[in-house]
Each structure stands twice: as structure tokens, then as C-alpha cells.
Amino acid sequence: MTDTSTRIREFRMPDVGEGLTEAEILKWYVRPGDTVADGQVVCEVETAKAAVELPIPYDGAVHELRFEEGVTVDVGQVIITVDTDPSAGPVGSPAKVVDAATAAGAADTAGSVDTAGADTDADEAEDGPEGGKRQPVLVGYGVSASSTKRRPRKQRPGELNGRAEAPVPEPAPVPEPEPAPVPASPNGAGRPLAKPPVRKLAKDLGIDLATVTPTGADGVITRDDVHAAVAREPAPAAEAAGRTEPVAGRTAPAVRPASGDAARETRIPVKGVRKATAAAMVSSAFTAPHVTEFVTVDVTRTMRLVRELKEDPDLAGLRINPLLLVAKAFLVAIRRNPEVNAAWDEENQEIVQKGYVNLGIAAATPRGLIVPNIKDAGARTLPELATALGDLVATAREGRTSPADMQGGTVTITNVGVFGVDTGTPILNPGESAILAFGQVREQPWVHKGKVKPRHVTTLALSFDHRLVDGALGSRVLADIAAVLERPRRLITWS
């Protein structure tokens, strides 16, 4: 709550998952002035795990939206404020909204701004001293060190951001076909003007802000400026030196080498689900020693059973497919070999045996790969497993999978067969012991009862953590899965 009024309540970006540090605002459902009620959804954000809708915990009217759509916000930052008593009249001025143009203008014209505070944290800048009045702040540039109000004045020649500069001899004119854009000039602290989200974007794309031409008011660099710098081929160092005076004792900013193919390349910021997936895969691949084993199996009887189950009136409306029976076979194999369902505790140097199976299903979504899991899958009947699997797939396709649905998995299945692929070497989901790849079911020649006949055949691949699972145990698990799919009656006899 700010000191502007006890009526204004702040809502900060929550940690909607386990240990998440940031989230991107995908969409605002409200605008300043809109009436909101406790529990009403005001925005949708995308975390490293899923898209989540955030409800507001206050009644009142929207006072401020602190960030625009598409901006990545750290957990704990204020994203919206609510006037809890709008009938009492207006509070504050619209100028209090943190805006790049207006706040940057105030920073340039206020002579008491200390540029040494450029790295001041946004939340600390907004809170201010206890009992003090909230000041308009450009996030990331700190607040005025003095509460004394000064009349804005125009910048005189020879001054940079309101500070006098030593006279510099005018360089000899260089003939040019046409003037080129001038990169952002450094301010008094040698730091170009830009909001923290824009700085993060530039860092992710490998852009030095000192080389970016600002188009925002009062020399503020915008997101569009950064994207334009990515698309634009960097100017030669000599050409840049002819347009700006170097600061004594400072090394020129590094410039990425020009590439003739740059115009045909597209750079996509790594964030959200893609960023989390990349980190998880790197961590898993270089932490858990992977071993992958393969088996090719005749699944003709399983495919026949799938057709029969689809016609069973007791299963009407359920999602019946080969993946359902593969999942059931995997669960039977784990029941016969419970040691495979475990986790490695590096900190305590212990192996944690799991008395439950949370079965993960790898799902490709527009936002990237996610692995939601079916809780206590081993205790579910076939109809219950079919219902859970159908709900999981539908929720993932709609982009509504919750973070809780992707936590606590013990083993995973990835169905690469839907892409026409025979098999692969899947990487373990972090914290899990095994992952099964189910390849495409193909009709091909196969020796059956001493004769070559056309049969439905697939290839299975099982990757496992060799710290937990030795070769013999992994082989038994894979062999049991294959045996069930070859003769699905074992779903009954082995259960």
C-alpha cells in the first residue's frame, strides 16, 4: 500500500508455481477506471510452466496498470493498483502512472536527480522513506535525492542531461550521402535510458543499448528500437566513431560482427515454457547418467483390443487409443519392478523409493513442450485412466494446464509415434527415474507362428537414470512392457 492514500491497494506478481521468479503478462482483462470485485480475474500471465489467470483480492476500481502486455515481470513487483473507495472522489493524478515518456522527461529536466542511483530497485524506489510521499519514478532510474521541487529548465548547448560538459573541439566534417541514425548518447552515469523489461530484452538478444538509436520521448529506448537494432546490420566501428565523441578512459562498446545473412535471420527471445524446457533438459542431460534400451514388439493383439474397447458400451465417450494401453502396460511393469519408481536425492545422498506413480505424458503445445502428470495413475482402473488421460490432453491443448499438474511426476511417456517416428532416445524429465518413448505402429512383415505374416509392429525405447536403475532392472521393465503389449491378457493375469 502506498502513502498516497490508504484507499490504494497494490497487487504484486505472485509466485503462481513452485519457485518461479518471473512471468510474462499475456493479456489484461481490465483497464484503469473499471470496477473490479474480490476474486475477479484481471489478467493472464505465462510462467515458465503454464498460462495462469490472476484474480484480484480487492473490491474497487482499477487505478493503475503498471506494465503493458508482453512485458516480463519479476515475482513481487506491483502490477496493478486498486482504489478501494472510488466513491470518495479521485485520488492521485494519472501522471503517477509509471510511463516511459513522462517519467523520462522528468528525469532529464529535474536537476536534482542523481544518476548514480540508476540501478535502484523498482520496489524500493516506489516505497520511499516511511511516511514520505510517493514520487513519480521511471522504473530502474531511482528517485530524486531531494524533495525540493525545481522548475524544469531547457537544456543549454554544451550540456548532457542537464549537466555541463567541457568544450569539445568540433570534428572535421565528414562527407556522407545521408545522415545515419545516432545511437543513444550516454547520460551522466554512462547508462542509456530504458525500462528494465527493455534492458532484459536487449540482454537476451545480445544487443548493447549504447548502440541502439532511441525513438522514445526524451531519448528513451523502446522495445521496437531494440528489435530494429537486431534487424539492422551493425554499422562499421569507424563510421560510428565519426558520429559520437568517445568518453575518455572508457572502452568502446562491443559490436557484433556484421553478417551478410542477418537480414534473413529471425531472433526469437527465449522465455516462458521454452526457457524452462531448455534449462530442464540441460540440467537432466548433464546430471543424470542416461541409458536407453530398445525393443521391437508385435502389438497386433493390442491393436485388436483397442478396436474392441472402442465398441464397448461401458466405455462409450472415453478416449480409447493405443497410448492408453501402453500407459497401462508401463504401470503393470512398474508394479512388478517397484525399484524403478524412485528418485535420486543428491543433497542427502539417498535413493527415494516412491510408493505411488504419477505418470507424466509429454505434450507438444503452441507454447512448447510440457509434461503434466496423472496423479496416482497406478491406482486407477482402465476407465479412470482413460478419463484422466483425455482430460490431460484436452487441458494441455487449450493451454490451461496448471503448474500443480506438472509437479511431482515419477515416470513419463512420450508418444513420438504420432509424428511418424519409429523411436528416439528421450531425455529424462528432471527428478524422474525413467521415460518411455512409444513409436509409430506400422504394418510390416513379421514371423508369427513360423510364418511370415503382415503384423502391427512398434519400437519402444526406455531411458533411465543409471544411478538408480542398473541394466538388469531397466531391461526387465522394458521386457515386461513389451510382453503386455504382445499379449494384452497379461493386463489381467499380471495385475
Side-chain angles (χ1 to χ4, degrees), residues 304-391:
R304 185 182 304 126
L305 178 58
V306 168
R307 292 193 297 269
E308 294 173 357
L309 292 176
K310 286 182 177 181
E311 297 173 358
D312 191 329
D314 293 334
L315 300 178
L318 296 180
R319 186 184 180 91
I320 307 298
N321 54 26
L323 179 61
L324 172 64
L325 296 187
V326 170
K328 197 64 178 176
F330 197 3
L331 294 170
V332 169
I334 292 173
R335 185 180 298 114
R336 288 168 55 85
N337 303 275
E339 300 87 354
V340 75
N341 190 42
W344 183 271
D345 187 342
E346 180 66 29
E347 182 178 354
N348 296 313
Q349 288 295 292
E350 295 175 340
I351 294 176
V352 183
Q353 293 283 351
K354 305 292 181 70
Y356 55 91
V357 181
N358 292 342
L359 179 62
I361 304 294
T365 73
R367 291 191 175 98
L369 176 68
I370 63 174
V371 188
N373 60 77
I374 301 172
K375 301 295 190 289
D376 289 316
R380 297 176 184 257
T381 63
L382 189 65
E384 291 172 343
L385 188 62
T387 300
L389 188 58
D391 293 343

Side-chain angles (χ1 to χ4, degrees), residues 183 202 205-212 229 234-237 240 250-258:
L205 297 179
I207 295 295
D208 189 331
L209 287 177
T211 66
V212 177
R250 212 173 78 180
T251 306
V255 179
R256 291 185 302 169

Side-chain angles (χ1 to χ4, degrees), residues 51 57 73 193 199 235 246 313 319 336-337 377 399 428 487:
V73 182
L193 298 177
R199 294 184 183 281
R319 186 184 180 91
R336 288 168 55 85
N337 303 275
L428 292 167
R487 294 181 179 274

Side-chain angles (χ1 to χ4, degrees), residues 252-316:
V255 179
R256 291 185 302 169
S259 170
D261 294 329
R264 296 184 292 171
E265 297 174 348
T266 301
R267 291 179 176 269
I268 303 173
V270 179
K271 58 184 179 179
V273 175
R274 172 58 59 191
K275 183 177 181 179
T277 301
M281 293 299 96
V282 170
S283 174
S284 177
F286 292 97
T287 301
H290 285 55
V291 172
T292 305
E293 295 185 339
F294 308 88
V295 64
T296 302
V297 57
D298 178 1
V299 293
T300 304
R301 292 187 178 92
T302 291
M303 299 304 292
R304 185 182 304 126
L305 178 58
V306 168
R307 292 193 297 269
E308 294 173 357
L309 292 176
K310 286 182 177 181
E311 297 173 358
D312 191 329
D314 293 334
L315 300 178

Side-chain angles (χ1 to χ4, degrees), residues 25 39 43 91 107 113 117 165-166 169 182 193 218 233 247 259-260 271 307 317 322 332 397 438 452 461-462 493:
I25 297 177
C43 70
V91 290
V113 173
E165 297 289 330
V182 181
L193 298 177
D218 299 294
E233 185 171 315
V247 178
S259 170
K271 58 184 179 179
R307 292 193 297 269
V332 169
R397 285 178 176 173
F438 174 35
V452 177
L462 182 71
T493 60

